[in-house]
Amino acid sequence: MAKKVQDALKDLVSLCKRRGFIFPGSEIYDGLANTWDYGPYGVELKRNIKNLWWKRFVESRPDVLGLDSSILLNPRVWQASGHVSNFSDPLVDCKACHERFRADHLLEAKLGEGCTVGKNFQEIAQMMVDNQIECPKCGKKDFTEPRAFNLMFQTQLGVLEGTGSKVFLRPETAQGIFINFKNIMDNVRPKIPFGVGQIGKSFRNEITPGNFIFRTREFEQMELEFFCEPGTEKEWYDYWRKYCMDFVFGLGVTKEKLRLREHAKEELSHYSNGTSDIEYEFPFGWGELWGIASRTDYDLTQHQKESKVKMEYFDAVANKRYIPYVVEPSLGVDRLLLVLLCDAYDVETLENGEERVVLHFSPKVAPVKAAILPLVKKGKVKEVAEEIYQKLIQNFNVEYDETQSIGKRYRRQDELGTPFCITVDFDTIGEGDDVKPENKGMVTVRERDSMKQEHVKIEDLENWIFAHLK
Ligand code: ATP
């Protein structure tokens, strides 16, 4: 029977370090709070996630194009998008201990499931008083009024200081897509409806980062802006909500731990006529994984106003011009990676009483697809195992390991989430006492979750792995 560990997140953070997935940032200099570096296995997991998203949302779709825009944009972009004036969270200080919090998070924590905290700061202030919100650090109920804290990081462009050289690190990749709308229309000439997808880093000076890689100040996003004719946005909004849910299900995430939550009216941004979050039940509670927003023509209209460049689409068949509406599914790479880690993590008690830590990754996302484990580390067995490794590594991320006992090697691969362990022994080479002649030329493949073993011919191995990665 699978045993779920109480403080799963703490154990997961330690497994991630121990097994080279994710390291605390700048560790040899005493660290830098809430920064994380992806180690050799984490980077593979991340690349698999990005490749799967790109394939599903861009490459395999004739109606979606790709883009890779800059992190630094003309500051007028952020004036037009509303980020300079509105991209802020309600910051409160505890007057007793001076710790800082997001007022909306304190209210959500106190009021629990189903509560709606709107965007009006006066209402938030009143809610803080009405609900007797306590400081999570010192327990006092004495906070400053909520004030807007802008989340954009500022930096300086070039050597001359001054307002003219002030730029922002992008807080989302989406605006890079909107400001290239005209370039794409004029030069690539897609027909509406069509989308533009992009993967890249974003930066937000979060008031309260934390929960491992759930909320960090530097993170990666996978965003799609899908442009459609006004009046069809509801249909596309429903379409993309389902498409995104299916994508997460397809990665093997536990269905009961996922839900689609539609935002209440008070929660909606002023430009949105529909927003939903796909949420996952993390060890610390339900949290947003993916935001899907119907953004009307707000962004393109704003850029048209600010830049004086027309953002219209001409529909030659209907002979009409309009500014397209947009539906945006926006997903954090690191957020999805955390979902996959939390969902895969398990501590099982085996029949012999031993504990087995295992990451039940879907083979598609697993950082290592197979491990080749010779049962003896010399002679022909080793030779054959090395040959198999050299062949497989051309197509898959595989590992070769001849150290320690076979049991320990299995445990290590279980902790990495490797779906298949391939053992090579005397049967494989058909030499030695008590060999089974029918197993000559065959390896034993052990499946991670069931621990069942199966014999596979060496020459069939590549196809066998391909077939099992689906
Ligand atoms: P919140 O209200 O929780 O701060 P948000 O609703 O502003 O988040 P979005 O702007 O919708 O977040 O961001 C889109 C996606 O980007 C999120 O669903 C999440 O997957 C990811 N994301 C946003 N902020 C962060 C962050 N600080 N760290 C990691 N991922 C993030």
Side-chain angles (χ1 to χ4, degrees):
M1 265 280 284
K3 184 189 114 190
K4 283 279 170 207
V5 178
Q6 288 295 314
D7 198 351
L9 192 63
K10 209 167 124 230
D11 291 350
L12 191 63
V13 174
S14 118
L15 172 75
C16 281
K17 182 173 182 197
R18 184 159 46 84
R19 283 297 177 221
F21 281 93
I22 302 173
F23 304 125
S26 310
E27 211 180 9
I28 61 164
Y29 290 102
D30 295 333
L32 178 67
N34 298 296
T35 61
W36 302 93
D37 295 335
Y38 287 86
Y41 296 100
V43 76
E44 287 295 332
L45 182 57
K46 211 176 186 197
R47 285 172 67 100
N48 291 341
I49 292 172
K50 289 194 274 185
N51 288 344
L52 286 162
W53 184 90
W54 192 260
K55 182 126 211 119
R56 190 68 180 274
F57 283 79
V58 183
E59 214 174 284
S60 70
R61 294 197 57 116
D63 59 350
V64 178
L65 304 161
L67 185 77
D68 188 3
S69 66
S70 326
I71 287 174
L72 300 176
L73 306 178
N74 187 309
R76 285 171 64 203
V77 171
W78 308 112
Q79 291 282 0
S81 67
H83 281 81
V84 171
S85 47
N86 289 327
F87 193 59
S88 47
D89 283 334
L91 169 74
V92 286
D93 291 331
C94 169
K95 287 188 189 160
C97 72
H98 306 295
E99 192 77 9
R100 295 183 146 178
F101 303 97
R102 259 178 75 169
D104 53 337
H105 283 177
L106 292 179
L107 283 163
E108 281 159 10
K110 171 90 189 253
L111 302 176
E113 290 277 298
C115 82
T116 320
V117 184
K119 298 198 180 295
N120 181 309
F121 278 32
Q122 267 175 348
E123 279 169 26
I124 292 177
Q126 195 54 48
M127 280 174 91
M128 294 279 290
V129 177
D130 292 349
N131 292 289
Q132 300 268 308
I133 301 295
E134 288 173 5
C135 170
K137 193 173 170 209
C138 72
K140 296 267 163 45
K141 296 175 191 162
D142 195 9
F143 291 100
T144 57
E145 290 280 303
R147 60 189 189 282
F149 176 77
N150 194 293
L151 299 179
M152 284 200 294
F153 276 103
Q154 288 181 22
T155 187
Q156 202 75 33
L157 206 61
V159 288
L160 288 180
E161 287 199 11
T163 46
S165 56
K166 187 174 86 179
V167 289
F168 301 102
L169 300 186
R170 68 177 176 200
E172 60 175 37
T173 72
Q175 297 304 323
I177 298 180
F178 295 127
I179 62 168
N180 277 291
F181 175 76
K182 190 172 156 44
N183 267 334
I184 291 174
M185 285 312 309
D186 291 353
N187 299 297
V188 191
R189 304 191 172 278
K191 295 237 170 343
I192 274 190
F194 74 91
V196 179
Q198 146 152 269
I199 300 180
K201 287 254 175 168
S202 293
F203 302 82
R204 295 182 189 179
N205 200 3
E206 299 278 1
I207 297 168
T208 42
N211 283 330
F212 195 23
I213 52 169
F214 179 82
R215 191 181 298 283
T216 48
R217 294 188 170 116
E218 172 184 346
F219 55 97
E220 228 172 334
Q221 289 185 307
M222 305 188 277
E223 296 196 295
L224 173 72
E225 303 304 322
F226 195 78
F227 301 99
C228 60
E229 191 179 339
T232 64
E233 74 276 11
K234 173 77 176 73
E235 199 183 302
W236 285 111
Y237 172 62
D238 289 341
Y239 173 89
W240 285 109
R241 290 191 315 164
K242 180 170 182 319
Y243 197 86
C244 294
M245 273 302 247
D246 287 347
F247 179 76
V248 193
F249 290 152
L251 300 179
V253 179
T254 311
K255 287 200 170 174
E256 296 69 42
K257 291 195 162 209
L258 286 166
R259 70 183 183 194
L260 189 63
R261 189 182 68 82
E262 179 99 44
H263 284 207
K265 272 216 172 71
E266 317 81 88
E267 266 183 284
L268 289 178
S269 307
H270 60 94
Y271 50 76
S272 173
N273 62 7
T275 299
S276 296
D277 292 340
I278 299 181
E279 298 183 335
Y280 178 78
E281 193 178 16
F282 292 94
F284 45 85
W286 288 94
E288 175 179 336
L289 163 65
W290 205 329
I292 300 132
S294 174
R295 300 174 67 102
T296 66
D297 58 357
Y298 172 78
D299 303 273
L300 289 180
T301 305
Q302 288 296 106
H303 289 303
Q304 176 167 295
K305 271 192 212 150
E306 174 76 26
S307 68
K308 311 279 186 284
V309 174
K310 280 252 177 294
M311 295 289 170
E312 284 174 347
Y313 173 78
F314 178 61
D315 181 338
V317 179
N319 194 24
K320 62 176 178 186
R321 282 178 199 281
Y322 56 83
I323 295 183
Y325 271 35
V326 171
V327 176
E328 174 199 80
S330 170
L331 168 66
V333 179
D334 317 76
R335 225 18 109 80
L336 179 54
L337 195 141
L338 181 61
V339 165
L340 295 177
L341 278 170
C342 292
D343 211 62
Y345 181 69
D346 201 3
V347 183
E348 297 176 356
T349 308
L350 301 176
E351 275 170 16
N352 63 6
E354 264 182 43
E355 278 202 336
R356 171 171 100 119
V357 176
V358 52
L359 289 173
H360 298 284
F361 287 134
S362 148
K364 285 194 258 212
V365 296
V368 180
K369 304 301 180 200
I372 296 101
L373 316 172
L375 284 194
V376 259
K377 48 179 169 184
K378 56 180 195 271
K380 198 139 175 232
V381 171
K382 178 184 165 96
E383 244 171 62
V384 171
E386 279 176 350
E387 270 169 29
I388 294 173
Y389 170 71
Q390 288 304 340
K391 199 166 159 216
L392 294 183
I393 197 133
Q394 307 305 319
N395 282 311
F396 315 101
N397 190 33
V398 290
E399 283 200 344
Y400 178 88
D401 185 6
E402 58 176 28
T403 58
Q404 301 185 307
S405 71
I406 188 69
K408 284 201 174 131
R409 282 183 272 170
Y410 280 154
R411 293 291 165 272
R412 180 170 177 275
Q413 294 301 330
D414 288 343
E415 286 194 334
L416 293 175
T418 308
F420 311 113
C421 282
I422 300 167
T423 48
V424 181
D425 57 15
F426 288 113
D427 276 356
T428 313
I429 59 166
E431 287 174 14
D433 304 333
D434 304 327
V435 294
K436 298 193 188 78
E438 68 275 21
N439 290 342
K440 187 169 177 201
M442 292 196 161
V443 291
T444 312
V445 181
R446 171 214 187 240
E447 199 273 327
R448 177 198 63 211
D449 298 345
S450 63
M451 292 187 275
K452 287 212 175 97
Q453 307 205 346
E454 149 178 10
H455 287 106
V456 179
K457 277 195 196 150
I458 294 177
E459 65 261 32
D460 294 343
L461 257 180
E462 269 171 316
N463 285 338
W464 189 97
I465 297 175
F466 268 127
H468 286 78
L469 291 184
K470 300 249 163 70

